[in-house]
């Protein structure tokens, strides 16, 4: 979705589709099929309707830049106008107004799926590309208006989760979920790693065979100095989820968030000092903030809104 909410872009099995606020198609960009082991440029559904390889396809993703001027898309190539097709995966930079491909570069990956993480600078974008058990390549793109430059961050084993409000820090979670890390930009160097095994255990473990704690992939920057993270997947059998605050400048776990009411689901950090959770009722949306007196306290205050 664009910053002005006037354009939405969808990543499909065979094409990208940009739709305006009325639901009308503004433009589309066709690409090679994401079906397993398929490299065709399909013209119609009938071409692949009865084939097993298209039942559970791999998939790409897309995102709109911070200023709404470009769309970044991870696709399988070739594109229809490629004179010398090379079957590959590429990152495209597309004009958001008319769908022209402005820049492209190979990702060097074999995706099962991917997701983009935007940067405050519209000329930068991050992407994590999941390759199943083989890892999670993290690519960082820079668009200078004429050329797309792509670099790798890490050892293809970290999932990119969030960018800090200033754009100077990245947050990743290891593929095995044993630690989260805070990186600096532009070089992607790791500043701090936070191991999950230091989290406090639940007071009443359900069994002697409970798993060791591990970070959920859903976490993010509450503000430039604070990360909120969860172990919700690990907590399911315990009931109430646990969310943790991490000092982004030091890498210290500050403590567990103590909510004054039951919550569910993982937190969604908004970067402006607040974050969202669901209430005990998953249709109730709660907006939380840190206490104004002590930013690093492990308690939280809330404002709630009911979704109708």
């Amino acid at each position: 979705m664009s910053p002005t909410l006037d354009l939405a872009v969808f990543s499909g099995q065979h094409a990208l589709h940009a739709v305006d606020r009325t639901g009308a198609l503004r433009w589309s960009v066709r690409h090679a099929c994401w079906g397993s082991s398929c490299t065709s440029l399909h013209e119609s559904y009938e071409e692949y309707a009865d084939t097993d390889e298209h039942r559970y396809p791999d998939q790409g993703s897309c995102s709109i830049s911070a200023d709404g001027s470009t769309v970044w898309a991870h696709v399988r190539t070739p594109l229809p106008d490629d004179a010398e097709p090379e079957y590959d995966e590429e990152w495209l930079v597309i004009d958001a107004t008319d769908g022209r491909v402005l820049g492209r570069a190979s990702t060097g990956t074999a995706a099962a799926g991917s997701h983009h993480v935007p940067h405050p600078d519209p000329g930068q974008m991050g992407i994590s590309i999941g390759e199943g058990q083989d890892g999670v390549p993290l690519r960082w793109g820079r668009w200078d208006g004429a050329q797309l430059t792509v670099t790798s961050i890490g050892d293809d084993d970290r999932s990119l989760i969030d960018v800090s409000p200033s754009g100077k820090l990245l947050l990743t979670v290891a593929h095995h979920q044993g630690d989260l890390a805070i990186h600096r930009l532009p070089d992607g160097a790791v500043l701090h790693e936070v191991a999950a095994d230091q989290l406090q255990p639940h007071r009443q473990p359900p069994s002697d065979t409970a798993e060791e704690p591990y970070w959920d992939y859903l976490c993010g920057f509450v503000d430039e100095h604070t990360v909120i993270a969860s172990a919700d997947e690990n907590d399911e059998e315990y009931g109430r989820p646990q969310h943790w605050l991490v000092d982004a400048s030091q890498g210290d776990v500050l403590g567990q968030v103590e909510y004054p009411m039951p919550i569910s689901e993982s937190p969604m950090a908004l970067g402006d000092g607040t974050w969202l959770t669901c209430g005990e009722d998953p249709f109730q949306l709660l907006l939380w903030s840190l206490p104004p007196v002590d930013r690093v306290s492990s308690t939280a205050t809330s404002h709630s809104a009911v979704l109708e």
Side-chain angles (χ1 to χ4, degrees):
M1 185 71 71
S2 68
T4 55
L5 306 182
D6 62 347
L7 185 72
V9 183
F10 301 91
S11 176
Q13 186 171 345
H14 306 104
L16 301 164
H17 300 288
V19 179
D20 67 20
R21 66 172 70 240
T22 70
L25 180 66
R26 181 178 295 182
W27 52 260
S28 62
V29 174
R30 291 179 56 233
H31 54 74
C33 179
W34 277 108
S36 175
S37 73
C38 180
T39 53
S40 300
L41 285 162
H42 296 297
E43 295 287 349
S44 67
Y45 173 70
E46 287 72 20
E47 294 181 31
Y48 61 90
D50 298 324
T51 59
D52 290 339
E53 65 184 2
H54 295 87
R55 190 179 301 275
Y56 302 106
D58 300 323
Q59 57 187 332
S61 61
C62 58
S63 184
I64 300 178
S65 64
D67 65 356
S69 64
T70 58
V71 174
W72 298 61
H74 173 219
V75 303
R76 183 174 284 177
T77 53
L79 305 183
D81 57 353
D82 286 349
E84 298 181 2
E86 293 184 7
Y87 299 108
D88 197 357
E89 293 176 13
E90 289 189 327
W91 212 358
L92 308 182
V93 177
I94 300 168
D95 189 308
T97 302
D98 56 19
R100 287 180 299 119
V101 177
L102 304 174
R104 56 195 295 184
S106 174
T107 59
T109 54
S114 67
H115 72 271
H116 284 74
V117 177
H119 189 275
D121 175 2
Q124 298 189 59
M125 184 73 71
I127 187 172
S128 273
I129 302 173
E131 296 184 324
Q133 65 183 7
D134 294 331
V136 190
L138 193 169
R139 303 290 186 254
W140 195 258
R142 292 176 173 83
W143 169 248
D144 63 6
Q147 183 176 3
L148 173 60
T149 303
V150 178
T151 57
S152 299
I153 294 178
D155 297 323
D156 290 355
D157 64 350
R158 306 202 68 86
S159 180
L160 177 61
I161 306 298
D162 200 10
V163 176
S164 70
S166 70
K168 296 179 180 179
L169 300 174
L170 303 179
L171 179 65
T172 68
V173 171
H175 190 209
H176 55 74
Q177 297 177 261
D179 64 82
L180 59 81
I182 297 164
H183 307 244
R184 73 184 179 202
L185 278 177
D187 63 356
V190 174
L191 299 177
H192 308 289
E193 289 187 353
V194 185
D197 60 12
Q198 65 182 290
L199 300 180
Q200 298 175 6
H202 281 265
R203 294 183 180 88
Q204 295 180 342
S207 69
D208 294 335
T209 60
E211 296 184 46
E212 292 295 323
Y214 56 87
W215 293 114
D216 192 359
Y217 287 120
L218 298 177
C219 49
F221 287 95
V222 174
D223 55 31
E224 190 68 22
H225 310 286
T226 314
V227 167
I228 188 165
S230 69
D232 285 4
E233 292 179 1
N234 184 243
D235 290 339
E236 286 181 354
E237 60 181 314
Y238 297 90
R240 191 169 179 173
Q242 294 186 100
H243 297 167
W244 305 85
L245 297 177
V246 176
D247 186 336
S249 61
Q250 301 295 325
D252 298 326
V253 177
L254 301 172
Q256 182 182 343
V257 179
E258 297 293 340
Y259 293 101
M261 64 183 69
I263 59 100
S264 61
E265 308 298 333
S266 299
M268 177 181 289
L270 302 180
D272 62 355
T274 65
W275 70 96
L276 295 168
T277 70
C278 290
E280 191 171 26
D281 180 344
F283 292 98
Q284 182 186 41
L285 191 64
L286 305 176
L287 177 65
W288 304 89
S289 64
L290 296 175
V293 177
D294 183 3
R295 179 182 61 81
V296 299
S297 171
S298 61
T299 61
T301 58
S302 73
H303 304 280
S304 64
V306 178
L307 298 180
E308 297 183 359

